[in-house]
Amino acid sequence: MATRKPPAAELPAAPAADDPLFVASLEKGMRVLEAFRDATESLGLTDIATLTGLGKSAAQRFVHTWEKLDYLVKDPATRRYRLGSRVVELSYFFLRNDRLVSMAAPHLVALRDRCGLAVHLSVLAGGDMIYLLRLPSRQLTLAEMLPGRRMPAWCNSGGRMLLTTLDDDGVQAALRQSPPRAYTPRTVTAPDALADLVRQAREDGYALTEDQVLQNQVGAAVLMRDARNAPLAAISVRALRHDYPVDRLQQDIVPQLFRTAQAIQQG
C-alpha cells in the first residue's frame, strides 16, 4: 500500500536545539504514532520508518514499545501495525475533563436538535483546525462524525472563523503552513482571496462557505467566547445546499449560532 509523508505543517514546530528539558527520544516515539494520521490502513515497519524519517532499527524499537503498551496492535499474519484502542482512551480522558467541551456540549446538542443539522466545535492548531465535538445529522458518514479530525483552517466555515482571531500576518502565515488546494471545482485556493474572506468574516462576525470541501455542502460558523470575550473555539453547522441555500443558512441558522454562542458565554 502506498503511503505519503505528512506535510510539515501538520506536525508541531521543532523545539529549540538548546532546550534542556526537551526529551528528543520521546519526540521520536511520538512520530511513530503520528505516522498513522494519514494512513487509511495498517502500516508496515518500512512504511513507519519512511514516514517518520527514523532509521529502521530505531523505528522497530519504538514500534515494539508502543505495541507492548497497547498503543499499537500488530497483525501476526501480515506483521503490519494499526493504532490500538488505548489511543481512543486518551481522547476520552481529554474530552471528559476539558472544560470547554463540558461547557459547550449541552448547548450544541440543543442546537442540533432544534435545527436538525450537523453541529461542530473546533479549535485552532497552527494553520489547521481540530474538531473537538461533532454532533451528526442523519446524512453524515462515520468519518464526519468522529472528533479529533484535523483539517486546514482555510477550507471551511469553522476554520475561517478561527483564523479571524489572527491578524493579517498571522492569517498569511497560517496559509503558508497549510497551503490551499482544491477539494472541489469551487474551492477557493488563492491566498489573497482567502485572506479577504477571513477579513469579511471578522467584520461580519460569522463565516459562510459553499462547496468548499464537498459538493452540495454549505457551512456557517461563529466564534464561541469566554466571559472576558476572548475567543475560545468555533461553533459551526453543516448542511446540504439543496436543503439550505446560502441565503437560507444566513437567515435561519446564523442567528441560532449567535444565540448558542451567547448562551455558552453566559452559562
Side-chain angles (χ1 to χ4, degrees):
M1 181 196 71
T3 57
R4 73 173 180 88
K5 189 173 182 178
E10 295 182 359
L11 303 177
D18 59 352
D19 186 344
L21 297 178
F22 186 78
V23 182
S25 59
L26 179 58
E27 183 272 334
K28 291 176 181 177
M30 290 305 300
R31 278 193 234 167
V32 171
L33 294 185
E34 290 174 340
F36 290 82
R37 174 179 291 152
D38 293 320
T40 56
E41 299 179 22
S42 58
L43 295 176
L45 183 60
T46 300
D47 298 325
I48 294 170
T50 300
L51 290 166
T52 59
L54 298 171
K56 196 166 183 179
S57 176
Q60 184 177 37
R61 291 195 299 272
F62 287 121
V63 165
H64 177 77
T65 303
W66 286 129
E67 182 191 3
K68 290 299 181 182
L69 294 174
D70 295 328
Y71 287 95
L72 290 181
V73 176
K74 182 179 181 180
D75 185 325
T78 64
R79 304 182 67 83
R80 296 175 69 85
Y81 297 86
R82 58 180 174 82
L83 291 175
S85 58
R86 197 166 182 186
V87 175
V88 181
E89 186 181 12
L90 284 180
S91 301
Y92 167 76
F93 292 146
F94 166 74
L95 293 171
R96 182 191 64 185
N97 296 312
D98 185 70
R99 185 172 179 273
L100 174 63
V101 171
S102 62
M103 183 171 56
H107 298 278
L108 300 185
V109 170
L111 173 62
R112 192 272 310 274
D113 291 345
R114 283 196 305 272
C115 68
L117 301 176
V119 176
H120 303 142
L121 178 72
S122 56
V123 293
L124 194 63
D128 297 335
M129 54 164 286
I130 297 176
Y131 290 108
L132 298 187
L133 282 180
R134 306 181 83 183
L135 306 178
S137 66
R138 292 180 180 178
Q139 293 85 6
L140 288 186
T141 64
L142 174 63
E144 292 176 293
M145 297 180 191
L146 301 177
R149 186 180 182 185
R150 188 180 186 119
M151 292 189 68
W154 56 265
C155 71
N156 59 55
S157 59
R160 289 181 189 175
M161 280 312 301
L162 292 168
L163 290 177
T164 67
T165 64
L166 308 177
D167 60 21
D168 288 348
D169 289 341
V171 172
Q172 291 294 341
L175 294 176
R176 288 193 296 271
Q177 277 189 309
S178 295
R181 64 181 180 86
Y183 291 97
T184 78
R186 299 189 63 186
T187 304
V188 179
T189 58
D192 289 345
L194 286 168
D196 287 342
L197 289 170
V198 172
R199 278 191 289 269
Q200 186 65 52
R202 189 184 295 122
E203 293 175 9
D204 294 338
Y206 63 90
L208 299 172
T209 55
E210 185 175 8
D211 299 336
Q212 293 300 287
V213 178
L214 294 174
Q215 292 275 40
N216 193 37
Q217 190 175 89
V218 294
V222 302
L223 286 178
M224 170 183 157
R225 299 177 180 274
D226 65 14
R228 298 186 179 90
N229 213 39
L232 294 176
I235 303 171
S236 59
V237 164
R238 185 179 299 170
L240 297 177
R241 177 163 43 82
H242 64 250
D243 292 331
Y244 276 86
V246 171
D247 56 349
R248 183 188 177 195
L249 197 70
Q250 184 178 22
Q251 180 178 345
D252 295 350
I253 301 301
V254 170
Q256 295 191 58
L257 286 170
F258 277 125
R259 286 194 293 270
T260 299
Q262 186 175 25
I264 296 170
Q265 185 177 13
Q266 294 174 347

